[in-house]
Amino acid sequence: MEIKAVKFRKDGFYSQPFAFGGEEGMEKFDKNVRYRGSLQNYLIDTGSEVILVDTGLPAGTPEESPDENSPAFTGVDICSYMDALAALGYKAEQVTKILLTHKHNDHSGELKSFPNAKIYVNADEIGAEELKGLTNLVPVKFTDGAYHNFPESQTICDGVHFIKARGHTNGNSIVIAENDGLFYMLHGDITYIDEALYQNKLSIVFEDKEAARETLDRVREFVSKNPTVYCGTHTPQGYENLEEKKVIDLVNPPETIPAGEIVFKTASGKYVCSICGYVYDPAVGDEKQGIPAGTRFEDLPADWHCPRCKQGKDKFNKA
């Protein structure tokens, strides 16, 4: 079995209030402290199957243009997700299964590009807007019982397990691949950065705070008892851990590498949700929420929210 990172954005950041403030509140943390961000998903090559864990942003999603007050920035494009997959030497038709950690567009964006693969989705998330029109979904009901300390799981193939992990979304899941005595935890957004795992902090993004806390507690218990390589989506630590086969040690966290300088860019007038990748285009507006075409982002009502992930205006960056 080989596990590889599909890298498509780099040089992003996540502020401390964003990454740590889910339970104590953002105001308790320093907005000037920023941690490295990126975007990558993962691929499991078993030798007989090619399995993807999530499928990146949709092609054409604009980059964000952050400023000094932006709580999060997904980074600048390396290439599209599909180009990143090709750079690893794989074609879409080789992919047999896709394991979706959750519905958000930075995880589900290119599902449409794999019509021949079976897409395994937590049954609780099967009706999500992002998944509409897909005919190759396999709803997972987690009928295989407990996996270590996680109560509900489904074995996908030998050594690959799909774990129910509610909180970030109500249909959130984790993938754990066992290989050569190590447990590779390939997750969506249990944490955005590894520092949050070490310091036991929830991010501000969740659909169910109590469930998110329970999931993080279970993850910390698992990694404390099993040699685990923790592979996240939103931080370079994810692929660095994978490449170095670095096992999580909650007692001895590694030294934090600070984020680089923010690169300011000319804005287009569009805005991008830093949580799910939804693009607000003033030329289109938001018909579902009664926002007519021609409405600038700055003129949206204060209570307007992302139509996909329901986050507020403060989670959007200029595109």
Side-chain angles (χ1 to χ4, degrees):
M1 179 186 294
E2 290 185 273
I3 304 171
K4 304 176 183 182
V6 187
K7 307 173 189 176
F8 52 97
R9 279 195 175 177
K10 64 178 183 177
D11 298 335
F13 66 79
Y14 292 91
S15 72
Q16 191 178 78
F18 179 97
F20 287 5
E23 291 174 304
E24 298 161 73
M26 295 179 71
E27 68 280 359
K28 300 291 186 182
F29 300 96
D30 187 348
K31 70 175 185 178
N32 296 312
V33 176
R34 299 185 181 95
Y35 302 94
R36 294 182 299 150
S38 61
L39 273 176
Q40 64 276 332
N41 299 140
Y42 296 94
L43 177 151
I44 304 168
D45 188 335
T46 68
S48 59
E49 292 198 86
V50 177
I51 302 172
L52 300 182
V53 180
D54 295 341
T55 61
L57 285 165
T61 301
E63 294 179 8
E64 304 150 55
S65 181
D67 60 32
E68 63 275 6
N69 294 313
S70 298
F73 171 44
T74 58
V76 299
D77 288 335
I78 301 170
C79 59
S80 71
Y81 175 85
M82 296 304 293
D83 284 345
L85 181 66
L88 292 177
Y90 295 91
K91 299 178 180 178
E93 54 266 30
Q94 293 177 268
V95 176
T96 53
K97 295 183 174 72
I98 299 171
L99 310 181
L100 186 67
T101 65
H102 64 287
K103 61 190 177 184
H104 290 159
N105 246 21
D106 49 344
H107 300 263
S108 64
E110 286 292 342
L111 289 176
K112 65 184 183 301
S113 297
F114 301 92
N116 298 323
K118 292 181 178 180
I119 304 171
Y120 290 76
V121 182
N122 185 329
D124 295 336
E125 198 138 280
I126 204 75
E129 181 73 25
E130 294 89 340
L131 308 183
K132 286 186 176 179
L134 296 170
T135 60
N136 48 337
L137 300 177
V138 178
V140 177
K141 298 184 178 179
F142 304 99
T143 56
D144 288 339
Y147 177 81
H148 293 257
N149 63 314
F150 294 100
E152 297 177 82
S153 73
Q154 192 83 41
T155 299
I156 302 300
C157 63
D158 187 31
V160 179
H161 305 274
F162 205 40
I163 312 295
K164 194 171 189 177
R166 291 182 63 246
H168 179 68
T169 68
N170 289 324
N172 203 72
S173 306
I174 294 171
V175 176
I176 297 180
E178 303 173 15
N179 192 40
D180 292 337
L182 296 177
F183 296 83
Y184 292 83
M185 184 176 287
L186 314 174
H187 69 93
D189 304 339
I190 303 301
T191 59
Y192 280 81
I193 57 171
D194 287 14
E195 285 83 358
L197 176 71
Y198 285 107
Q199 298 195 37
N200 198 16
K201 303 292 186 184
L202 288 182
S203 81
I204 62 170
V205 187
F206 45 74
E207 291 183 352
D208 185 325
K209 185 192 293 187
E210 290 184 4
R213 166 44 60 191
E214 182 178 349
T215 291
L216 182 56
D217 288 345
R218 290 190 186 280
V219 167
R220 284 172 52 84
E221 179 185 356
F222 182 90
V223 303
S224 69
K225 294 180 178 179
N226 302 282
T228 304
V229 180
Y230 189 69
C231 300
T233 298
H234 290 277
T235 170
Q237 295 159 310
Y239 62 77
E240 290 167 356
N241 292 344
L242 175 63
E243 291 164 1
E244 299 170 20
K245 297 183 179 180
K246 183 185 296 182
V247 171
I248 288 288
D249 180 355
L250 294 179
V251 179
N252 298 292
E255 184 176 352
T256 294
I257 301 172
E261 289 187 47
I262 302 174
V263 178
F264 297 98
K265 297 184 176 181
T266 302
S268 65
K270 299 178 183 180
Y271 278 72
V272 184
C273 178
S274 60
I275 307 306
C276 74
Y278 170 81
V279 179
Y280 177 78
D281 185 347
V284 176
D286 178 8
E287 183 179 355
K288 289 184 178 180
Q289 298 188 76
I291 305 299
T295 304
R296 298 188 312 157
F297 185 85
E298 294 84 353
D299 296 332
L300 292 171
D303 61 353
W304 182 86
H305 57 263
C306 176
R308 279 211 192 108
C309 69
K310 312 307 179 187
Q311 295 295 314
K313 291 175 66 177
D314 61 325
K315 306 305 187 304
F316 278 72
N317 285 323
K318 294 177 183 178

